Amino acid sequence: MTSIMLDAQQIQNAPAPVRLWLEQQISAVLGPVSVPGASQPRLVACTEVQAANLLNRIRQAPSAVEVFFGLAHPEISFGEPPVVTFRLLDLQRRAGLENITKLLECLDLINRVFAEICDDPAARFCDFDAAGHCSILPATQGSIAALWKAIVAAERPGVLPIAAAE
């Protein structure tokens, strides 16, 4: 086994993916332990059709739309089963929201609408932890990204989405 020691300045100056990885490693060791018998929200993979339906139903809330598409931003997935984890503060900043409360309202709206679409009150689009993270399934992230590419392609006839052009 090999160990490394990093001071606070080295961690702050590290690239974002490295900081996220360090945060995930520390959270995995020190994070909250699930209580036996406690009911856990059930993360459900969102398909592209469900993502389009969800977008259509939250369209009247522009902040929620910004948060929704912010979840397509590439992040590191980890765990078993794997989840994609975002810092709530990063989501707030990307969506241009004034505070975390507004972000949580948007995420709650997304979760409620998704549960309605799934016809399952226990289904969750995203989940949260006590350390200030939001998690989604990799398949959900892929569906959001695919929907974004389809929207961009539809708005610019004759132009292929970046992934399709490569």
Side-chain angles (χ1 to χ4, degrees), residues 18 52 90 113:
V18 173
D90 291 340
V113 170

Side-chain angles (χ1 to χ4, degrees), residues 78-138:
F78 74 104
E80 194 52 50
V83 293
V84 181
T85 303
F86 300 85
R87 290 181 42 192
L88 291 175
L89 291 174
D90 291 340
L91 286 173
Q92 175 196 343
R93 180 183 45 78
R94 271 190 224 121
L97 300 174
E98 59 276 2
N99 56 49
I100 286 289
T101 302
K102 183 67 175 164
L103 173 68
L104 294 175
E105 289 170 1
C106 292
L107 291 169
D108 181 56
L109 173 64
I110 292 168
N111 266 336
R112 282 187 286 115
V113 170
F114 184 68
E116 290 170 10
I117 290 169
C118 292
D119 197 26
D120 179 357
R124 294 289 174 261
F125 184 86
C126 60
D127 194 15
F128 312 96
D129 67 20
H133 299 100
C134 174
S135 299
I136 62 173
L137 294 173

Side-chain angles (χ1 to χ4, degrees), residues 12 21 35 50-51 57 62 64-66 76 102 132 141 156:
Q12 290 171 343
W21 180 83
V35 178
Q50 289 171 320
R57 293 182 59 189
V65 172
E66 287 291 328
I76 298 172
K102 183 67 175 164
Q141 185 181 44
R156 298 179 64 198

